[in-house]
Amino acid sequence: MYENTFPNKRFKHTVEFLKQHIDTSQSILDLGIENPLSDILKSHGYTVKNTSGIDLDINTSEIKNSQNEVVTAFEIFEHLLSPFTVLKSIKADKLVASIPMRLWFSSAYRSKTDMRDRHYHEFEDWQFDWLLEKAGWKIIATDKWTNPTKKIGIRPILRWFTPRYYIVYAERYSKSKS
């Protein structure tokens, strides 16, 4: 089902990580509109509801009103101006989130045609950890993986060795600590 190509490699790692930490009996709110990864999660037995496509920087009502036990956020926080606000609004006690990592040899992604498809943040792993901890999350497990390409050049070679994606499983600190 998966090949070692983008986005299949990313999807494979994401599903494997999720299976290690989240039981299929737990309902998931996935931040962002329905997408191929949410379909893959459903095919693995997960119950997944996606947000409707509202601007989460402005309106977090779907997150605040969710009764889901787990929130997933796969490559979405880099698109938000204020990921802290979204992280604080989550009512679920479990979070699985992944980000594309900031690469020292590559500038931040910016679409020239889609104003919504831009990265306001590209985190290093420690920066994302700090953001999660400040928003009241305790990091339980993490993983990283590379995103090699078959292109020729210095940057494509560096992509074979430099982790591009970072994924975190976190649990909310007890209410008395937040």
Side-chain angles (χ1 to χ4, degrees), residues 1-15:
M1 177 176 190
Y2 303 106
E3 296 175 29
N4 198 24
T5 60
F6 178 83
N8 295 328
K9 180 180 180 184
R10 177 172 55 99
F11 292 170
K12 179 182 178 199
H13 280 282
T14 301
V15 171

Side-chain angles (χ1 to χ4, degrees), residues 61-78:
S61 62
E62 290 181 26
I63 300 168
K64 289 178 181 175
N65 296 328
S66 171
Q67 299 299 311
N68 295 83
E69 300 161 279
V70 179
V71 169
T72 57
F74 303 119
E75 287 90 57
I76 190 165
F77 288 125
E78 67 276 8

Side-chain angles (χ1 to χ4, degrees), residues 34-171:
E34 193 166 341
N35 59 73
L37 182 55
S38 36
D39 293 337
I40 291 169
L41 295 177
K42 290 173 187 174
S43 76
H44 282 269
Y46 289 99
T47 303
V48 179
K49 178 184 177 192
N50 288 82
T51 53
S52 66
I54 60 173
D55 186 336
L56 296 174
D57 275 319
I58 297 170
N59 183 349
T60 59
S61 62
E62 290 181 26
I63 300 168
K64 289 178 181 175
N65 296 328
S66 171
Q67 299 299 311
N68 295 83
E69 300 161 279
V70 179
V71 169
T72 57
F74 303 119
E75 287 90 57
I76 190 165
F77 288 125
E78 67 276 8
H79 298 281
L80 299 174
L81 288 171
S82 184
F84 178 80
T85 303
V86 171
L87 287 163
K88 287 293 284 183
S89 71
I90 295 171
K91 300 297 180 212
D93 289 329
K94 296 180 180 182
L95 171 70
V96 179
S98 61
I99 56 163
M101 292 178 63
R102 182 183 177 280
L103 300 176
W104 60 270
F105 55 85
S106 181
S107 58
Y109 174 73
R110 181 180 72 194
S111 172
K112 293 179 178 155
T113 57
D114 186 351
M115 293 293 289
R116 295 169 296 167
D117 190 19
R118 296 191 174 175
H119 290 186
Y120 293 103
H121 310 278
E122 286 196 347
F123 303 95
E124 292 186 35
D125 54 356
W126 60 269
Q127 291 171 309
F128 192 59
D129 291 352
W130 280 2
L131 173 64
L132 291 170
E133 290 166 1
K134 183 164 182 146
W137 295 95
K138 179 181 179 187
I139 296 166
I140 307 298
T142 66
D143 196 13
K144 296 179 193 175
W145 62 90
T146 61
N147 185 37
T149 66
K150 293 188 174 162
K151 296 178 182 177
I152 297 174
I154 298 296
R155 289 196 308 188
I157 290 170
L158 291 171
R159 288 184 187 274
W160 281 87
F161 307 102
T162 307
R164 174 62 172 151
Y165 292 100
Y166 181 59
I167 194 165
V168 172
Y169 168 60
E171 295 179 357

